[in-house]
Structure formats: structure tokens, C-alpha cells
Amino acid sequence: MSLKQERWVGLFSLLPAFLLLAIFVGYPMFNTFFHSFTKWDGVTSVFIGWDNFQSILTNGDLPLMLRNNLIFLLSVPGILLISLTVSVLLHEEVRGWRFFRSVYYLPAILSSVVIGFLAKSMFTNNGIVNTFLDKIGLGHFTVDWLNTVPTEFMILILCFYWQTLGQGTLIFLSGLSSISNELFDAAKIDGTSWRQKLFYIVIPSLYPAIFYFTIVNVIYVFVGLFGLVYSITGGGPGYETTPIDYMIYIQAFRSGNMGYASALSVFLFFIVMFITWIQLKISNRLEQ
């Protein structure tokens, strides 16, 4: 078979994959971009130019939505540090490490909605949390957890941490397995403390894994919070816990403003692209 024939065989073998991408990714993206410039109710659409984008910037909801996403964004370093700490403990095979390795990963296989409804049942007024506080004589600490904005965010972030811990632990354990044991043995001989080992050996050696984990979860807090918000707070009270991705759902399927929802989707797409670009720039600069 000639080189030209091999090239055509290769192209035709990739054709089914490209067709599937075009149908299930390319067309929906093009459709969303097109309808972001229209007033669309899902059936009929009227071209209105930049009105949807102008409305996003002027109706007063955007700062609140960005604040909500920013709160989750600021929580990413916390789960990063927790995942690193747990990974190092499991890697050092502390007592019961086999059991805890399974326990930490279990939430990662559950859907966000399941975790959300589980948390909601725990934090209702008559849920297990308030009941437990009453039983141990701390009834004055009981709170209406799901009707106060700070506690609602606390529950959402707690669920985010619980679901993400297994993923982070698995990623960092894989990275730790590639670090030479001689480094840890030398550190042990030199009397290095556990914290020094974490910050001077583990973290520098796991930079690629840390960067991957960070960029995945930064993107997640912009496009993956729907399940948790839907099942725990419903975006309320008002829009106080509504991130951008949940507002897209509200506008599209509750209000019927498909065009406005499409514009919000495009707006969110460029936010995520911009943040990813910044992270890549920082990563390239650190590698130099």
C-alpha cells in the first residue's frame, strides 16, 4: 500500500469519530451560538442582535452569579490541600489505609444529585444534624441550615469537597507512586518532619498532577455545580446561591427564555476559556 493510500485509509478510519463529534458537539455549539442572538422560545426565534448579551450585563444578576461562582472558586485550594494530605497519609500506609482508600473514593462514584439530596435530608430542621446537636445538649447551636445563605454555601462546599476528595486522592496517589522511594528514605534519615516532606518533596514532585486537578476543578465550579445546587438549595433564596450554569437552566426550562439562556451559555463558555488560558499561561511561566 502506497503512502497516499495509507493516508486516505487513516482519514476514512477517523471519519466516523469526526461525524459523531460534528453531530453531538459541533451542531449543538453552533446552534447555541446562533440562538444567542435571537429571542427564542424553543420553537420560534426572532433575530435581536446583541440584546441578550446587553441584558446579561445590565439586568443586575451577573454580579451575583459571578460572586456565587467565585465563592466556589476560592474553595478549590482547600480541597487541593485536603486531597494532598490524605494522599500522603494513604501512601505512607497509616493504620487502616486500605479501608480508608475505599471510603474516600466511594462518594466519587455517586451522582451530584444523590449527594445533594442526602445532604439536604441531613440538614433539614428535623434532620440528623440538628437532632444530634439536641441529643448532646447543644440545641442552642441548631440552625435553619437550608434557609440561611452562609450555611447553604457551607453545605454546598462540603458536598463539593466530599465528592471531589476521592478523585483528588486517586490522582495524587498515582503521582506519588512515581516518586522515587529514595527521596522519602533520605528525608526520613535526615529527620524531616511530615509537613516539610509534604511541602518540599511531595508538592514539587506532583506539580503536573496538581495543575491537572486544579484546572479540572476550576472548570467544574463554573459548569458542573448544577446537580448540587438543584438538589440542595434550588438556587435560593432568590438567586443568592445561583451560579451561572444553574441560571441557564432557570432561564431555559423555567422561564422559557431559550435565547437568553443560549447567550448565558456563550458568556460562560468564554469565561471558562479565559480562565483556562490564564492557568496555562501561569503553568508555562512556572515551568520556565
Side-chain angles (χ1 to χ4, degrees):
M1 184 181 295
S2 67
L3 181 62
K4 186 175 181 180
Q5 289 175 321
E6 289 181 356
R7 186 178 301 167
W8 279 109
V9 170
L11 289 173
F12 277 116
S13 65
L14 292 173
L15 186 60
F18 282 122
L19 286 174
L20 289 174
L21 283 172
I23 294 170
F24 294 107
V25 178
Y27 174 72
M29 288 184 66
F30 171 79
N31 194 47
T32 300
F33 273 94
F34 171 76
H35 282 108
S36 66
F37 296 99
T38 67
K39 184 178 181 180
W40 181 39
D41 61 4
V43 180
T44 60
S45 60
V46 179
F47 184 80
I48 58 173
W50 295 93
D51 287 2
N52 286 325
F53 293 97
Q54 185 177 357
S55 179
I56 291 172
L57 297 173
T58 59
N59 65 9
D61 292 335
L62 183 61
L64 181 60
M65 290 186 291
L66 289 176
R67 184 210 69 177
N68 296 337
N69 280 109
L70 181 62
I71 290 172
F72 286 100
L73 185 64
L74 293 175
S75 71
V76 171
I79 187 58
L80 171 64
L81 186 59
I82 293 171
S83 298
L84 275 170
T85 304
V86 171
S87 301
V88 173
L89 291 172
L90 293 177
H91 185 260
E92 292 182 349
E93 298 185 359
V94 295
R95 183 177 297 179
W97 66 275
R98 287 189 175 88
F99 170 74
F100 286 111
R101 185 168 61 179
S102 302
V103 168
Y104 287 133
Y105 189 72
L106 182 62
I109 65 177
L110 300 176
S111 72
S112 298
V113 175
V114 171
I115 291 174
F117 280 122
L118 176 62
K120 188 174 183 177
S121 67
M122 291 174 61
F123 285 95
T124 57
N125 285 331
N126 298 319
I128 188 173
V129 175
N130 282 343
T131 302
F132 176 74
L133 291 174
D134 281 328
K135 291 287 186 183
I136 63 174
L138 297 176
H140 55 286
F141 285 112
T142 58
V143 177
D144 191 3
W145 302 93
L146 297 174
N147 284 308
T148 307
V149 174
T151 55
E152 285 182 318
F153 272 114
M154 183 196 73
I155 295 167
L156 287 167
I157 292 172
L158 179 64
C159 291
F160 167 54
Y161 276 20
W162 190 51
Q163 186 179 32
T164 308
L165 179 59
Q167 173 205 47
T169 301
L170 182 64
I171 291 171
F172 296 135
L173 277 175
S174 299
L176 283 167
S177 64
S178 65
I179 301 175
S180 173
N181 288 328
E182 294 177 358
L183 284 174
F184 292 109
D185 293 338
K188 188 175 182 180
I189 293 172
D190 292 338
T192 304
S193 68
W194 185 87
R195 186 168 61 179
Q196 289 174 323
K197 190 187 301 182
L198 176 65
F199 285 99
Y200 294 105
I201 297 177
V202 173
I203 291 179
S205 301
L206 290 181
Y207 171 73
I210 291 172
F211 177 72
Y212 170 78
F213 178 82
T214 302
I215 196 170
V216 166
N217 282 283
V218 166
I219 293 173
Y220 176 85
V221 301
F222 279 95
V223 301
L225 293 173
F226 173 84
L228 290 178
V229 174
Y230 173 82
S231 56
I232 298 175
T233 68
Y239 292 146
E240 289 294 325
T241 59
T242 301
I244 297 178
D245 61 334
Y246 193 74
M247 179 61 79
I248 293 170
Y249 163 77
I250 291 174
Q251 292 295 329
F253 300 106
R254 290 188 182 176
S255 302
N257 299 326
M258 294 281 192
Y260 183 83
S262 297
L264 263 179
S265 300
V266 172
F267 190 81
L268 180 58
F269 172 78
F270 283 109
I271 289 176
V272 172
M273 291 294 290
F274 177 69
I275 292 175
T276 304
W277 176 77
I278 291 176
Q279 288 182 302
L280 290 173
K281 284 289 185 181
I282 294 173
S283 175
N284 292 335
R285 181 161 296 184
L286 291 174
E287 288 177 351
Q288 291 176 356

